[in-house]
Amino acid sequence: MANKRLVILAAVGGAVAAFGVMTACAALQREYKSGIVWPEPAVVTPGKTDSEPPSDATVLFDGKDLSKWANGDKWEIKDGYAVVQKSDIVTKDSFGDYQLHVEFATPEKVSGSGQGRGNSGVFLANRYEVQVLDSFDNKTYFDGQCGSLYKQTPPMVNASKKPGEWQSYDILFTAPRFDEAAKEVKVLTPGYVTVIHNGVAVQNHFALHGNTNYDRPAAYEKHPLKQPIRLQNHSNPVKYRNIWIREIKALEGKKPQ
């Protein structure tokens, strides 16, 4: 019994000694400072839920009207949502790098199959499509299912809900940069897309290959940094609601002279 007590006391004593050594070392350490002077981050009040717009967001559709969209009068609005009809709609304003929130629901009554079932799309910069499709137990080509960057990459996983249920996209988009002086299209940095589908990451900072074309390989065309957002009419009555956007810009620090 005495031997056990000695072992315990030795262990305790060793721990105390080790803690004392670590404390002494910490006291001798110097804080690393990068020398970069950062501006103070702006204060943004989050929404009460993840789907509600934060204080610095621009609401593009609040369930009442589509006045911020060209051809918005072509879609039916009722019960707080808009139903795809007749034509694509395009935002009247243009945006560069941003966080975009979109909620959608494919038709509850299943009609068609593959690409003919609940088809629409969210076009970033009016040309890079995040596919909207009823992909719940609906087989089609993988780089054309819900959450894909159309014809470029499938979603990492299929996070689709049942037909008729409301779903969400939270999209981070970094617009491509082009050499403005070059006569031909010269991409300085590609566009990047991250997609969270119903709270699940399905695209992780994917580097776009160019426009998401149906009938030819992806290729970039030079365009201004800021471009509108387009929602697609694909002859399916997909519903949309609660659309908002935040333009984003990384903080830029400066080293002292």
Side-chain angles (χ1 to χ4, degrees):
M1 192 69 177
N3 288 338
K4 288 185 178 179
R5 288 176 180 172
L6 288 173
V7 170
I8 292 171
L9 289 172
V12 171
V16 170
F19 179 76
V21 171
M22 288 191 298
T23 302
C25 289
L28 294 173
Q29 287 179 337
R30 292 184 178 181
E31 177 189 1
Y32 166 74
K33 294 185 178 181
S34 68
I36 299 173
V37 179
W38 295 101
E40 182 178 0
V43 175
V44 173
T45 304
K48 294 180 180 179
T49 66
D50 290 340
S51 66
E52 290 186 4
S55 59
D56 65 342
T58 297
V59 176
L60 298 175
F61 177 55
D62 62 0
K64 298 176 182 177
D65 68 76
L66 286 166
S67 59
K68 293 184 179 180
W69 301 75
N71 292 326
D73 57 337
K74 303 287 182 62
W75 287 17
E76 179 185 11
I77 299 174
K78 63 178 184 179
D79 301 327
Y81 59 81
V83 184
V84 176
Q85 292 181 347
K86 298 179 181 178
S87 71
D88 294 3
I89 63 173
V90 182
T91 56
K92 295 177 181 178
D93 291 331
S94 294
F95 309 94
D97 302 335
Y98 50 78
Q99 172 189 352
L100 175 66
H101 178 87
V102 179
E103 295 177 17
F104 64 92
T106 60
E108 184 175 3
K109 182 180 178 181
V110 175
S111 176
S113 62
Q115 293 292 300
R117 185 169 143 184
N119 193 324
S120 182
V122 179
F123 284 77
L124 314 173
N126 204 20
R127 55 181 48 79
Y128 311 116
E129 182 184 11
V130 181
Q131 174 75 310
V132 170
L133 193 75
D134 178 1
S135 288
F136 186 88
D137 195 23
N138 178 33
K139 296 295 184 182
T140 187
Y141 45 91
F142 301 137
D143 54 3
Q145 73 179 67
C146 198
S148 66
L149 275 302
Y150 189 71
K151 290 287 187 175
Q152 293 193 27
T153 185
M156 294 184 291
V157 296
N158 184 349
S160 297
K161 294 184 179 180
K162 294 179 180 180
E165 293 187 11
W166 283 102
Q167 309 190 52
S168 65
Y169 276 159
D170 287 284
I171 300 169
L172 293 177
F173 175 63
T174 303
R177 269 62 171 176
F178 302 94
D179 185 344
E180 298 299 330
K183 292 182 179 180
E184 297 182 353
V185 178
K186 183 178 180 181
V187 180
L188 298 178
T189 56
Y192 291 97
V193 183
T194 295
V195 181
I196 310 296
H197 183 199
N198 298 326
V200 179
V202 297
Q203 301 290 347
N204 182 24
H205 200 59
F206 177 77
L208 290 163
H209 306 317
N211 292 10
T212 51
N213 303 314
Y214 169 73
D215 56 353
R216 58 193 184 279
Y220 277 106
E221 58 182 12
K222 189 186 297 186
H223 61 79
L225 175 67
K226 293 193 173 186
Q227 291 284 275
I229 295 163
R230 174 161 52 99
L231 300 181
Q232 182 188 42
N233 167 43
H234 203 280
S235 301
N236 295 155
V238 175
K239 300 174 183 176
Y240 285 96
R241 71 178 186 186
N242 195 22
I243 304 173
W244 51 263
I245 192 169
R246 297 179 59 246
E247 293 200 81
I248 54 178
K249 182 180 180 181
L251 289 179
E252 295 183 1
K254 294 183 179 180
K255 287 191 175 182
Q257 297 298 324

